[in-house]
Amino acid sequence: MDIITTIIYIVLFIIMMVFVFSIGMLRQFMPKREVILVLIVAFLIGAIGGAFFLDPIYDELPNVVSTVERNMPNNEETLYLDLSSSIDINELKNNLSSTEGFKSFKEESITIPMWTFNEREHNYFEEIVGNIDSHYGDYNVTSSEIKISLQENYTSSEALKSFSDWYKLVYGDTISYAQVHAVLVVDSASLDTFEHNLLERGIVASSIEGPIQDSVNNTNSSMLSNTEFTLVCGGIGVVVAIIGIYFDSVVPAYRRFNKFLNEKRKR
């Protein structure tokens, strides 16, 4: 939300509170039993104003708080990416590395979807995967997929090719798809640029770690829900109405108190 829209929303809410205050000041012209009705109306106006004008601003609070972290020097964000092996990962890496704020890009592992293994097949793959390619790191065989970690300077395409070659030799078929798990590290100040760049390619980070994300998570965890925030705004409307109701009594009392203090100082 831009600054101008934010200011307009805040001003509109203040105008609504001025209206509530004015209603409260009319209490002297109403029967006493009408005061409850004034407070109910004040709550509804405050809640409606909060829901329409303040709630959108409140939702932007995590982004506002994270702005500080974005501008801190040496802050880094780590993006965990789940990529299709069908995309040109070398081209993606070259594009990302040429963007200002790039720190590193590493293909960490691949996940190869298989069929649902029975116990014998599961045990077989657990024994054989480590012998297919010496460049494989740790690996994990689940009930329907195989996840293989990649050693340094070994790409996902090479790992998939070696597994596919072995699979064709044993089963007479090829495997052409895997999910590639990569890690992208960027400057915090450039996070939006990289997220936009990835989104244009249909890629959304599965998770993000870093100062910005931490500040967003911490702020979100401490924020009220939209319903709670709307009720609080309704409570503000009630408080403003009460001030209006008793304004004629409070102001003279304040003036008398202020006069008393001034006379005491003169003495």
Side-chain angles (χ1 to χ4, degrees):
M1 182 180 296
D2 59 86
I3 296 177
I4 294 177
T5 304
T6 300
I7 294 174
I8 292 174
Y9 279 7
I10 293 175
V11 170
L12 289 173
F13 183 79
I14 292 174
I15 291 173
M16 295 181 74
M17 292 300 99
V18 171
F19 177 70
V20 169
F21 180 80
S22 301
I23 294 176
M25 291 190 68
L26 296 176
R27 188 268 308 175
Q28 57 183 325
F29 303 107
M30 303 177 186
K32 288 186 177 180
R33 62 178 178 274
E34 299 294 337
V35 173
I36 300 299
L37 179 60
V38 170
L39 295 180
I40 293 174
V41 171
F43 176 83
L44 292 175
I45 293 175
I48 293 171
F52 280 95
F53 300 130
L54 295 189
D55 194 54
I57 300 173
Y58 187 67
D59 288 339
E60 292 291 324
L61 186 59
N63 292 331
V64 174
V65 173
S66 67
T67 302
V68 177
E69 297 294 346
R70 292 177 190 274
N71 296 314
M72 292 293 289
N74 301 321
N75 275 356
E76 296 180 349
E77 302 295 316
T78 302
L79 292 79
Y80 296 91
L81 309 176
D82 294 327
L83 310 170
S84 169
S85 58
S86 61
I87 72 171
D88 189 340
I89 294 181
N90 285 330
E91 189 276 331
L92 173 64
K93 181 178 180 180
N94 291 334
N95 180 274
L96 294 173
S97 62
S98 63
T99 304
E100 183 179 357
F102 174 83
K103 291 293 184 179
S104 66
F105 179 87
K106 181 182 179 183
E107 300 171 61
E108 288 203 325
S109 61
I110 63 171
T111 297
I112 304 172
M114 306 292 284
W115 64 89
T116 301
F117 298 138
N118 57 38
E119 184 177 355
R120 181 180 61 82
E121 291 170 334
H122 184 275
N123 293 336
Y124 170 71
F125 277 103
E126 275 196 330
E127 293 178 2
I128 200 66
V129 171
N131 299 320
I132 295 174
D133 193 320
S134 61
H135 293 93
Y136 290 174
D138 295 333
Y139 63 91
N140 180 44
V141 180
T142 66
S143 60
S144 60
E145 62 184 23
I146 300 171
K147 184 174 183 179
I148 303 171
S149 299
L150 306 178
Q151 293 186 0
E152 196 72 29
N153 299 322
Y154 193 61
T155 67
S156 58
S157 59
E158 292 173 324
L160 180 58
K161 183 179 183 304
S162 66
F163 187 89
S164 181
D165 290 343
W166 170 85
Y167 189 83
K168 184 175 183 179
L169 183 65
V170 176
Y171 291 94
D173 200 0
T174 59
I175 291 179
S176 57
Y177 174 81
Q179 188 176 58
V180 181
H181 308 288
V183 177
L184 172 65
V185 181
V186 302
D187 281 335
S188 293
S190 303
L191 178 61
D192 287 345
T193 301
F194 282 92
E195 285 187 312
H196 180 71
N197 192 345
L198 292 170
L199 189 58
E200 286 186 335
R201 299 165 178 268
I203 301 171
V204 178
S206 56
S207 64
I208 303 175
E209 294 179 357
I212 291 179
Q213 195 62 38
D214 291 343
S215 66
V216 170
N217 292 338
N218 292 336
T219 304
N220 281 329
S221 64
S222 62
M223 288 175 66
L224 300 174
S225 68
N226 290 343
T227 301
E228 291 170 337
F229 183 75
T230 300
L231 293 176
V232 169
C233 291
I236 293 174
V238 172
V239 171
V240 171
I242 292 174
I243 294 174
I245 290 171
Y246 294 102
F247 186 75
D248 289 339
S249 302
V250 172
V251 172
Y254 171 76
R255 289 174 178 171
R256 288 194 298 268
F257 179 72
N258 194 36
K259 183 179 179 181
F260 170 76
L261 291 179
N262 290 334
E263 290 177 353
K264 189 174 183 180
R265 289 194 191 108
K266 291 179 181 179
R267 293 176 185 175

